[in-house]
Amino acid sequence: MKNLITLCCLLVMFSCKAQDTAIKKYANISATVLEKAVLAGGKLIRVKDFPSENITPRPVDVWLPENYSSEKKYAVLYMHDGQNLFDATTTWNKQEWMIDEVATKLMREGVTRDFIVVGIHNIPKIRWQDLYPEKAMDFLKKEDKEALYSDAAKNNFSTNLKGDEYLKFLVQELKPYIDATYSVYTNKENTFVMGSSMGGLMSMYAVAEYPEVFAGAACVSTHWVGAVPKENNPLPGAIFSYLENNLPDAGSHKMYFDYGNQTLDQFYPKYAPKVDVIFKKGGYSDTNFKNLFFEGTNHSELSWQKRVHIPLTFLLKK
């Protein structure tokens, strides 16, 4: 009995010490509630320049649902292109995903478990470099890679890929902060990632690279072409080869994809059969894999907001 009491005391002591260490580590990270944000529910908190040793610091937004309470635990959804998620009055194209509207409705109706959303802002000039699945380049033929890099150099386009570093930022820097700061579940089963276009590629890549961290991804209008659409493009093949070799275990992950057929989305339908084959061959079924087509929809937040309830429900359903 005495040994049991001693063990309990040591566990409490180490737990308190770990908590103190976490508090000190993030003490210099300043977060501000965006009082003027136009929201349907909840509140938006911003870290203006989240510090990182891996990528260029950028804003990170945390959306907390209405009646958020430290007395309960929440799942976490990490999303790319964070500046486009919540408030159309501040976006470059006056469009938004309407994440706060849809998430609030789903939680009010008891469709999904309670969750918070962490939006990582992009930096437009380096968005492609940050969000491209870096290791897919290893699956290019030597001559194709040399030709791509040569064309990039001619067009003064940087090939300084940061996809792996972006994920290190997300997993090793941002997630520990979120886990220490908010009342959230920290396990894989309650951690998800979502994005559109290049953000769709990165969401797929996140689960493939860190299957022990993320239980699933929603990849909306996934940019399988990899870069600018063109004839004889070697990038889709390289991305699919990477995916085939790094497919997350079907027994413990959910993967959602979708696509339209207008504007940039017109280039995606041809790849849908390949996506289906990869996941079906990997043991996925209709319960943990979706690849949905939305006729007549284009590549925009206005399109994504109309169907975002589908991936949110797929990933976070009670």
Side-chain angles (χ1 to χ4, degrees), residues 29-32 34 44-52 55-63 78-86 90 117-126 130-131 166 169-170 173-174 177-178 182:
I29 297 180
S30 177
T32 304
L34 300 183
L44 200 59
I45 300 170
R46 176 169 297 170
V47 176
K48 185 178 179 182
D49 288 300
F50 198 99
S52 174
I55 60 173
T56 304
R58 77 272 319 272
V60 170
D61 291 341
V62 179
W63 178 78
Y78 292 90
M79 294 190 68
H80 315 294
D81 301 319
Q83 63 263 55
N84 298 329
L85 304 178
F86 306 106
T90 62
V117 180
V118 180
I120 306 162
H121 285 220
N122 69 58
I123 299 176
K125 288 184 178 180
I126 56 173
D130 281 343
L131 298 183
Y166 181 90
F169 158 73
L170 200 168
E173 296 175 330
L174 180 56
Y177 167 77
I178 296 298
Y182 297 97

Side-chain angles (χ1 to χ4, degrees), residues 76-80 118 120 166-176 179 186-194 202-218 248-249 251-255 284 315:
V76 185
L77 175 64
Y78 292 90
M79 294 190 68
H80 315 294
V118 180
I120 306 162
Y166 181 90
L167 286 183
K168 285 181 181 178
F169 158 73
L170 200 168
V171 172
Q172 299 175 11
E173 296 175 330
L174 180 56
K175 185 178 186 299
D179 291 349
T186 61
N187 60 348
K188 178 189 81 173
E189 290 73 20
N190 285 283
T191 307
F192 303 91
V193 59
M194 182 174 181
M202 179 49 65
S203 297
M204 173 273 291
Y205 193 54
V207 183
E209 288 292 294
Y210 292 93
E212 76 285 1
V213 175
F214 302 102
D249 177 56
S252 56
H253 295 90
K254 291 182 175 183
M255 300 296 291
Y284 282 79
L315 292 181

Side-chain angles (χ1 to χ4, degrees), residues 130-143:
D130 281 343
L131 298 183
Y132 187 84
E134 192 170 342
K135 288 187 176 65
M137 285 297 190
D138 297 335
F139 291 86
L140 282 172
K141 293 178 182 177
K142 182 181 178 182
E143 57 268 29

